[in-house]
Amino acid sequence: MWWEGGAVGYIDQRLLPHRFESATASTVTQVAEAITGMAVRGAPTIGVMAAYGIALATTTGESLSDAYDTLLSTRPTAVNLKVGLDTVMAAGPDVGDKPDAAAILGAARMHDNSEVTAARDIGRHGAKLLAHGSRVLTHCNAGWMAAQDWGTATSPIYTGAREGMNPFVWVSETRPRLQGARITAWEMVNEGIDHRLIADSAGAQLMRQRKVDIVITGADRIAANGDTANKIGTYSHALAARANGIPFYIATPLTTFDTDTPDGESIPIEERDEDEMVFVEGLTDTGEIQRVRVAPLETKVVNPAFDVTPATLITGFITEVGVIPATPDAIADVFRHPIRW
Ligand code: MRU
């Protein structure tokens, strides 16, 4: 997304891959609705969007602390949301009785730029883990749409492709919202990367058949001990990877680490609307986007949006400062001495 003429512009991800449309949010409420409604999604992206939401509050005259609370309550799991908000709130001391709008917008822009740079650097470090023709399995969308410009899990793939490594990608469809089928597959088409869409449950079989060389996903919150929350279904891929001796990496900027959360048990897991499970949405033969019901009217649903992969199943974190082992000591060390990595 981007700041343009005193408003936040964004691509409406709910319409992909069938329509590419942008929209603008000019109030904090509109920013919050774009995040809760999933028009804008993906951990680093919602952190940047929320940061620009605070900048918007300075132009509309809304109270900054109300704006902070509204935006923080949009989604509970991705800690990047809080990081984006805290970064801009710390930057704008009041001038007289008003917040310093220029300083706040400057901080939002800096946060945006630093997420772009982090995503780029994740690609640089992550591409070293790929060999020529590596077959990468990824889950959900941790790409352009989820993290400014390069994505996180996709950044090593995009970097490797530009270096002539010819990566191949297994795109896990990611029920129930299908971020893999709808957004990651669309990115792969646009990047010209050879890929196949698979059912989420096909990952384990492909790993058993030695058709996957490496699994790379993104993350929404990494606890101090390395336990990692990401899109529901990530844990199953990690278990299958371990059972088959395949490396399982999380590609993530440092803004996704939450050293105040001790372990995965303490990470809040978002529970989403049952409509996401009982309806499927897509393009009809006549070119309209429509949804159809797939489960009986009487059936009740449980729809956790994220799961937690224990640190013991994670080979390492591909970050902007290098590849970090998934141990509490390594995580603590990177926040003490980021340069060393
Ligand atoms: O519910 P979503 O679509 O916002 O979930 C997104 C994910 O789980 C991504 O894998 C995660 O945010 C990392 S994005 C770089």
Side-chain angles (χ1 to χ4, degrees):
M1 100 266 328
W2 54 95
W3 179 263
E4 191 177 15
V8 189
Y10 61 90
I11 295 158
D12 189 339
Q13 298 188 37
R14 293 167 304 186
L15 304 176
L16 294 172
H18 310 302
R19 287 197 227 138
F20 184 89
E21 285 180 19
S22 59
T24 48
S26 21
T27 62
V28 172
T29 307
Q30 287 173 354
V31 170
E33 283 169 359
I35 298 173
T36 48
M38 303 288 280
V40 175
R41 50 147 295 282
T45 296
I46 61 175
V48 174
M49 181 85 172
Y52 281 129
I54 297 288
L56 261 185
T58 67
T59 66
T60 57
E62 291 165 83
S63 138
L64 255 52
S65 62
D66 287 354
Y68 180 95
D69 292 345
T70 302
L71 293 165
L72 188 62
S73 67
T74 51
R75 297 196 71 191
T77 304
V79 75
N80 311 62
L81 189 65
K82 184 168 186 308
V83 171
L85 289 168
D86 288 345
T87 304
V88 288
M89 291 297 272
D94 288 358
V95 178
D97 59 353
K98 285 199 164 156
D100 185 340
I104 287 179
L105 178 57
R109 283 194 202 278
M110 267 176 68
H111 180 62
D112 184 354
N113 290 337
S114 93
E115 290 290 56
V116 172
T117 309
R120 178 76 193 88
D121 289 343
I122 287 168
R124 228 167 18 85
H125 294 296
K128 294 183 194 138
L129 301 170
L130 304 182
H132 190 269
S134 275
R135 297 156 304 173
V136 185
L137 187 148
T138 192
H139 187 65
C140 193
N141 173 258
W144 298 340
M145 291 293 128
Q148 299 290 76
D149 283 9
W150 288 84
T152 62
T154 55
S155 190
I157 298 165
Y158 297 160
T159 304
R162 281 163 180 69
E163 290 172 0
M165 296 171 78
N166 203 20
F168 170 88
V169 181
W170 296 109
V171 178
S172 178
E173 63 173 349
T174 318
R175 279 284 292 149
R177 285 194 70 91
L178 300 170
Q179 291 94 325
R182 295 168 42 168
I183 308 177
T184 303
W186 172 79
E187 289 193 20
M188 294 300 146
V189 169
N190 281 281
E191 287 275 345
I193 289 174
D194 193 11
H195 64 285
R196 298 290 183 279
L197 182 63
I198 55 167
D200 299 331
S201 44
Q205 169 70 356
L206 292 167
M207 290 188 223
R208 198 184 64 78
Q209 292 175 317
R210 318 302 316 159
K211 291 181 177 170
V212 178
D213 298 307
I214 182 170
V215 181
I216 309 179
T217 76
D220 287 82
R221 189 185 299 228
I222 301 163
N225 73 342
D227 291 351
T228 296
N230 190 47
K231 180 53 54 193
I232 192 79
T234 304
Y235 177 36
S236 318
H237 288 316
L239 284 167
R242 173 57 54 91
N244 289 285
I246 291 164
F248 177 92
Y249 284 94
I250 299 281
T252 181
L254 294 181
T255 50
T256 310
F257 286 84
D258 178 7
T259 50
D260 293 334
T261 294
D263 53 35
E265 289 300 306
S266 323
I267 298 177
I269 299 295
E270 179 179 11
E271 182 77 31
R272 290 192 63 87
D273 197 282
E274 65 175 36
D275 278 9
E276 289 186 350
M277 288 294 301
V278 298
F279 289 100
V280 172
E281 193 183 76
L283 201 65
T284 64
D285 289 345
T286 53
E288 289 148 46
I289 295 178
Q290 262 186 22
R291 64 176 206 170
V292 292
R293 191 177 184 96
V294 289
L297 269 174
E298 300 78 5
T299 295
K300 300 271 178 265
V301 165
V302 174
N303 184 17
F306 299 95
D307 59 25
V308 173
T309 298
T312 48
L313 295 179
I314 299 170
T315 311
F317 298 109
I318 310 168
T319 76
E320 63 268 44
V321 295
V323 179
I324 303 171
T327 64
D329 286 351
I331 293 169
D333 196 38
V334 84
F335 283 93
R336 269 196 304 268
H337 313 288
I339 292 303
R340 191 149 85 215
W341 297 85

